[in-house]
Amino acid sequence: MVLITGCSSTEDKIDKLLEKTGKPFELLYQEEVENGMIVLYKDESGFRHAYFSNKTKYWNISGNAELNPIDGFTWGMTNDPNIPKLTFA
């Protein structure tokens, strides 16, 4: 019997994201990219984005962007030493 473990399917990746966030969210957009997956989602604190690295099997989650910012514009970013990619949304 051979058992191969990993996080390869989209569903597995989203399940890992839910485990990491620890709270429910609404998935707004997801896209497989060359080395992983990027998602946009909304939780109780605002809009967020996250990047999954296929190499490290790790989610890099942004801070929240406000739902109704005063000036009409908001953004979030990630910068994590586990994934050498800086993302803005």
Side-chain angles (χ1 to χ4, degrees):
M1 177 180 196
V2 175
L3 177 63
I4 299 173
T5 61
C7 188
S8 59
S9 78
T10 298
E11 191 173 300
D12 289 342
K13 290 174 187 173
I14 299 301
D15 287 345
K16 291 264 187 212
L17 178 59
L18 186 54
E19 285 175 24
K20 184 160 184 175
T21 63
K23 53 188 166 188
F25 58 82
E26 177 185 353
L27 185 62
L28 302 172
Y29 178 79
Q30 68 187 43
E31 183 174 333
E32 293 283 341
V33 292
E34 183 178 338
N35 297 317
M37 173 186 274
I38 191 158
V39 297
L40 304 176
Y41 65 98
K42 182 173 78 171
D43 65 17
E44 64 206 19
S45 65
F47 292 99
R48 295 176 177 263
H49 72 283
Y51 175 80
F52 181 82
S53 167
N54 288 337
K55 182 178 180 181
T56 62
K57 308 294 186 225
Y58 180 84
W59 276 105
N60 186 3
I61 299 172
S62 73
N64 68 312
E66 296 177 40
L67 290 173
N68 295 304
I70 293 170
D71 61 359
F73 179 81
T74 190
W75 61 278
M77 71 166 282
T78 63
N79 186 15
D80 188 315
N82 294 302
I83 298 176
K85 291 187 186 292
L86 180 64
T87 60
F88 292 90

